[in-house]
Amino acid sequence: MLGKLIRKKPVSSAVSLSDQITDMKSRQIPAHVAIIMDGNGRWAKRRNLPRIAGHHEGMKTVRKITRISNDLGVKVLTLYAFSTENWKRPKIEIDFLMKLPGEFLSTYLPELIEQNVKVEMIGNFDVLPEHTKSAIHKAMKETANNDGMTLNFAMNYGSRLELVEAVKEIAQLAQEGVLSVENIDETVINSHLMTAHLPEPDLLIRTSGEVRLSNFMLWQLAYTEFSFTDVLWPDFDEQCMLNAMKEFQSRSRRFGSVEGENNA
Ligand code: IPE
Ligand code: IPE
Ligand code: MG
């Protein structure tokens, strides 16, 4: 009886990624997407693998998400790869994480060049191991003239450290009489951050179900749209990225005003 009353909905055929991308491009694409790539360790643990296996798998996600972000027309993709607090981890894990940029770039640099991607980095570069620095340097040098998407790795990055450094620089200028205290404003502070040359993130994504910033871009995220997902970083695929973009496009950004600037 009941069966007769319940009409089955027609099964909608899955829309291809490229059709979704085309559709999405008719609306506003966030210029700067920042991602806190989290959950590599748990991904590995669930498979009885060492944590570093999760980091290795996460590298493949970096490749996928870089490609689709570029296809979507994102201008800057910032990936939080290592925080100033991550030095608290076991040495074996830190050593592996410091080798990852070299491994990633030696495998994928040719395709980043082919995609016209420009590699950049924010964070405290000086204290990184030589091999990590030279891999990043090489990639930055070889992609310096590319004018497509910027792939910005936050490596040994911490927002509080960044703000402390900015305050020191500004105080120094004030002390030298180059800058008067009355002239210190948001633009001055911005110009002393590691992100001075970048637009503020429009969209922040954090994977793995954690709902916190973990010392990431505390100043820059003041008006950013947040998207949190339970998906672990190694499982975060193109469709997950498109879902976060859809979420962004459905939001109304008001920046404190009453008029909604709908992204649609
Ligand atoms: C994110 O994955 C990668 C880094 C922080 C370098 P985690 O290593 O934090 O993974 P979980 O959070 O332990 O699962
Ligand atoms: C944040 O993840 C740092 C990176 C993704 C690089 P964590 O896993 O280190 O953050 P907490 O410790 O859970 O806050
Ligand atoms: Mg984590």
Side-chain angles (χ1 to χ4, degrees), residues 64-89:
K64 281 185 211 163
I65 300 310
T66 299
R67 189 176 275 274
I68 195 164
S69 300
N70 199 26
D71 290 347
L72 278 160
V74 169
K75 299 276 178 268
V76 184
L77 176 66
T78 296
L79 300 178
Y80 200 12
F82 193 90
S83 75
T84 45
E85 287 70 37
N86 287 148
W87 296 107
K88 294 177 194 161
R89 295 189 178 203

Side-chain angles (χ1 to χ4, degrees), residues 168-183:
K168 280 186 187 163
E169 286 173 22
I170 294 167
Q172 181 75 33
L173 293 176
Q175 200 174 38
E176 289 165 3
V178 181
L179 179 70
S180 65
V181 172
E182 312 69 89
N183 286 338

Side-chain angles (χ1 to χ4, degrees), residues 12 47 55 58 67 83 90 109 125 148 164 167 203 208 211 237 250 262:
S12 63
R47 287 161 180 77
H55 296 314
R67 189 176 275 274
S83 75
L109 188 56
F125 201 63
V164 167
V167 169
L203 172 65
S208 87
V211 186
D237 61 9
S250 73
N262 200 305

